[in-house]
Amino acid sequence: MADIEDFGNIEVIFQDEEDKTAPRCPHGPTVLFEIKCKGEKNGRRFYACSACRDRKECNFFQWENEKVSEARLLAREQQNLSKMPPFSHAQYCARFREYASLPLDQRRFCVDCQILLLPGEWSGHSSHHMLSDITVSQLRRPSLLLCPLENKKSNAQYLFADRSCHFLLNVLSGLGFRKVLCVGTPRFHELIKMQSIDNKSDPIKSLLLDIDFRYSQFYGQDEFCHYNMFNHHFFNGEEAAKAFLDFLTEDGSKVVMVADPPFGGLVKLLGHTFSKISETWRKLQGAESSVSEMPMVWIFPYFFEPRILNCFPSFTMLDYQVDYDNHPLYKHGKSGRKQSPVRLFTNLCPKDIVLPKEEGYRFCSICERYVSAENKHCSICNACTSKNGKEWKHCPECGKCVKPCKYANFASLLQITVRYGFGVQYLNFNQLHWILTLYWFYLCFVLIDFAPVSVPQPGSTVPCVVTVHSQIISVGRRAVTAVETKGTSAEPVPAKARKSECISVHTGEITVDRCTRVATNKKTAYTAVSVTTVNSDRY
Ligand code: SAH
Ligand code: ZN
Ligand code: ZN
């Protein structure tokens, strides 16, 4: 998941008066970035779109100190206007009222234009794919009617599977929340709305904030705001911002924010926005409240944990796996081909969030939270350390628990084998070969001090245990090391890097590119391998 944050030398700059000075693109105020080249002290700053990382979608770019001509400013304004929805939210609401009063056979939806059509508009869409007889229950489930936006880079809409949606609602209503601020969670909003129809006595209210303005067709101004979560921008100005404030103040009941941002989004920008929301909420609480942070649930892949905790140190990542309906990989729940990497990050008390036993969760009384049943409590780390819900193993060398590896115990065997260059071709890990492998293991031990140091053949593929130390990949445990970058000569992994930055240990395959012998401490000379491909099951 490379994003701009990963480039290391591009950073987001937050300014106090950002909203006033930043130029605007069709997605609201742009964000100030700083790009630093190696060796430079001061980077160059530029403005770019907050929401789109793909230039094809929004190509806004301006150096911080750039003089922009009147003509260009005008053209920019025109462009921004032209990207506005065809109707205002108030107009959409009026259309909806009219639409709902039509007899069933006059209610059509244009699939091509993704719009509810009034009878007078049919002729303009005659060559389009239209659905007719749109029922009231269809109107209540816009997330089924609208096709999910499938733009990988910025606005991929991955809609919750019913199971995850219901789980979340049950948990939050069980905790006494009667208002949910849905940020980028249209399907969750929809479920809350539907439940409030069934449960009139104690309904939960919901306000959806989403950049997908198609939802304005279905919801009133107190139910939906056209909103950009990367810059906390309300497209309909004061009016929409007021709806947001009213929602937070209204009737004094407990409110929680649930956000499911696109996974490509910049964590820093999201964190900034959610802090602003929380801050607004805190100010509205008045002096009597001692709680300083708004209750929040941020739904995001587990490998963003460090960055999210960096924004919100009060958050905990829960083991609950969030499943999606229309995601090509993550839709089959815990038994699926690939399991969803998406988790809940929250400042709610973890022990209050009961994860269902029948879906494979248990309570850890030491950690005081529900964890995946396979997530074993490590007595050394004193925590249930697994991030992906599978059992993790404590690595004494790294001083922390790492991703599982079926063959972890054989790491030294493989290292020795790679080191001495024999037996490599037998190591293809199917059961029959284990016997042979174990035999080699034994031999290696016997021969260890006598065997000549030979090297793997260049071009051969070596199955191995790969330890990933951020940038550096080391093969085996100690002796053989490799550098991931193509073409660079092999370098031993510095002991420090090995200790501090180990991310995971797992099985994999390397293609031996070049082998050299390097001098070692004391007795044995060892082999360094430079590799071109590492084919492993890391995330
Ligand atoms: N799982 C959620 C949907 C998550 S998909 C559910 O089922 O309800 C991400 C959502 O964020 C989409 O609805 C998308 O329209 C919205 N989104 C994407 N970029 C956004 C932005 N810049 N500001 C606000 N919402 C955005
Ligand atoms: Zn534990
Ligand atoms: Zn451990």
Side-chain angles (χ1 to χ4, degrees):
M1 289 235 171
D3 62 35
I4 225 162
E5 284 165 308
D6 273 349
F7 300 155
N9 54 353
I10 299 186
E11 236 184 276
V12 176
I13 308 291
F14 293 117
Q15 289 175 310
D16 293 341
E17 291 295 301
E18 67 211 74
D19 295 5
K20 305 214 170 76
T21 56
R24 284 166 178 248
C25 74
H27 305 90
T30 52
V31 171
L32 187 60
F33 293 92
E34 184 171 272
I35 185 164
K36 263 201 187 121
C37 297
K38 261 199 181 142
E40 269 179 30
K41 209 155 128 225
N42 295 317
R44 284 194 82 185
R45 292 180 170 191
F46 64 90
Y47 291 101
C49 178
S50 61
C52 306
R53 293 181 310 129
D54 193 338
R55 282 217 147 202
K56 277 191 222 117
E57 277 171 82
C58 183
N59 61 1
F60 188 98
F61 183 91
Q62 184 188 316
W63 291 112
E64 188 184 22
N65 305 318
E66 193 176 332
K67 288 260 175 301
V68 183
S69 69
E70 282 297 315
R72 213 171 121 208
L73 284 175
L74 214 70
R76 199 182 267 172
E77 211 154 293
Q78 291 280 303
Q79 155 99 350
N80 291 354
L81 279 174
S82 74
K83 292 281 165 78
M84 293 283 280
F87 298 102
S88 72
H89 197 169
Q91 283 171 319
Y92 276 124
C93 293
R95 289 171 59 87
F96 187 82
R97 279 193 295 275
E98 187 180 342
Y99 190 91
S101 68
L102 293 170
L104 187 65
D105 63 357
Q106 290 189 28
R107 293 207 290 251
R108 292 196 183 172
F109 175 75
C110 178
V111 177
D112 294 356
C113 306
Q114 295 281 296
I115 185 168
L116 297 171
L117 294 178
L118 297 171
E121 296 162 340
W122 292 354
S123 56
H125 298 258
S126 55
S127 62
H128 295 177
H129 177 28
M130 279 188 278
L131 299 176
S132 35
D133 297 353
I134 304 297
T135 63
V136 171
S137 59
Q138 277 176 298
L139 292 175
R140 283 189 189 144
R141 299 221 57 185
S143 79
L144 292 177
L145 198 58
L146 300 169
C147 32
L149 303 173
E150 301 227 2
N151 179 320
K152 288 246 153 33
K153 281 219 171 121
S154 51
N155 196 2
Q157 274 179 328
Y158 293 126
L159 299 165
F160 294 133
D162 283 345
R163 183 169 82 166
S164 294
C165 228
H166 281 107
F167 163 77
L168 207 55
L169 185 54
N170 289 342
V171 163
L172 297 177
S173 79
L175 291 174
F177 292 105
R178 286 295 167 272
K179 286 191 291 186
V180 182
L181 181 66
C182 286
V183 182
T185 55
R187 178 156 287 175
F188 192 48
H189 173 71
E190 179 178 299
L191 177 72
I192 299 170
K193 291 266 151 206
M194 287 195 305
Q195 294 230 331
S196 70
I197 296 170
D198 302 337
N199 180 2
K200 287 212 171 66
S201 60
D202 190 16
I204 298 184
K205 286 186 182 159
S206 175
L207 174 67
L208 172 64
L209 308 183
D210 201 290
I211 203 160
D212 185 355
F213 70 79
R214 295 176 304 172
Y215 283 95
S216 336
Q217 299 180 78
F218 301 87
Y219 297 121
Q221 282 162 293
D222 55 347
E223 299 168 306
F224 172 77
C225 300
H226 185 202
Y227 171 81
N228 181 353
M229 65 169 104
F230 291 103
N231 54 6
H232 190 49
H233 174 68
F234 290 88
F235 290 90
N236 296 334
E238 294 293 310
E239 212 179 330
K242 186 172 173 299
F244 163 70
L245 293 177
D246 287 349
F247 180 78
L248 290 183
T249 9
E250 191 179 22
D251 74 28
S253 55
K254 267 173 74 175
V255 61
V256 59
M257 182 199 87
V258 176
D260 187 9
F263 305 149
L266 291 174
V267 170
K268 257 198 181 166
L269 293 178
L270 294 168
H272 193 67
T273 293
F274 301 154
S275 301
K276 276 190 182 171
I277 292 179
S278 172
E279 182 66 6
T280 311
W281 170 87
R282 197 182 57 80
K283 283 188 185 141
L284 293 170
Q285 288 302 290
E288 72 273 16
S289 167
S290 57
V291 191
S292 60
E293 215 170 56
M294 181 182 180
M296 295 185 270
V297 180
W298 177 347
I299 301 168
F300 227 48
Y302 68 83
F303 32 83
F304 285 101
E305 186 193 31
R307 289 188 203 173
I308 292 180
L309 298 195
N310 201 11
C311 298
F312 293 108
S314 62
F315 278 26
T316 311
M317 184 180 88
L318 306 178
D319 275 13
Y320 185 77
Q321 268 185 19
V322 179
D323 290 321
Y324 293 88
D325 251 2
N326 59 328
H327 197 288
L329 289 175
Y330 311 135
K331 62 181 166 192
H332 301 296
K334 280 208 128 184
S335 58
R337 187 163 63 87
K338 271 220 172 162
Q339 296 192 1
S340 166
V342 182
R343 303 289 183 269
L344 308 176
F345 294 85
T346 184
N347 53 3
L348 297 170
C349 184
K351 72 169 187 293
D352 295 341
I353 302 178
V354 182
L355 307 185
K357 198 174 168 201
E358 61 285 1
E359 286 175 35
Y361 301 97
R362 64 176 185 93
F363 185 69
C364 174
S365 51
I366 308 172
C367 298
E368 295 203 296
R369 66 178 182 111
Y370 288 81
V371 295
S372 165
E374 290 170 62
N375 187 355
K376 295 282 178 311
H377 190 89
C378 169
S379 56
I380 306 167
C381 301
N382 193 28
C384 289
T385 45
S386 169
K387 300 295 177 200
N388 64 356
K390 299 275 192 202
E391 186 177 349
W392 280 28
K393 283 228 155 64
H394 193 86
C395 166
E397 209 174 314
C398 306
K400 64 177 184 183
C401 286
V402 290
K403 209 179 173 189
C405 167
K406 259 190 191 161
Y407 312 107
N409 296 339
F410 295 92
S412 45
L413 154 74
L414 297 168
Q415 170 232 316
I416 291 162
T417 319
V418 172
R419 185 158 137 197
Y420 290 100
F422 49 65
V424 165
Q425 60 272 46
Y426 296 106
L427 290 175
N428 63 356
F429 295 136
N430 64 40
Q431 287 191 328
L432 213 141
H433 284 130
W434 271 115
I435 302 168
L436 263 180
T437 309
L438 286 168
Y439 181 57
W440 278 116
F441 192 29
Y442 170 70
L443 267 186
C444 290
F445 256 115
V446 172
L447 299 177
I448 195 156
D449 277 320
F450 311 101
V453 176
S454 64
V455 295
Q457 285 304 302
S460 63
T461 300
V462 187
C464 62
V465 176
V466 184
T467 318
V468 182
H469 297 266
S470 326
Q471 302 285 312
I472 306 158
I473 295 182
S474 76
V475 182
R477 279 256 185 87
R478 269 155 291 146
V480 183
T481 62
V483 179
E484 191 172 22
T485 349
K486 199 170 182 166
T488 46
S489 62
E491 290 164 16
V493 178
K496 254 199 200 143
R498 232 185 300 165
K499 276 224 163 62
S500 59
E501 290 170 70
C502 178
I503 296 172
S504 61
V505 174
H506 40 105
T507 52
E509 230 177 32
I510 57 164
T511 302
V512 178
D513 191 34
R514 203 167 69 81
C515 305
T516 42
R517 270 210 242 162
V518 294
T520 66
N521 44 0
K522 296 189 188 147
K523 276 201 262 170
T524 347
Y526 62 75
T527 314
V529 187
S530 128
V531 297
T532 49
T533 50
V534 173
N535 195 358
S536 61
D537 69 349
R538 78 178 140 145
Y539 45 77

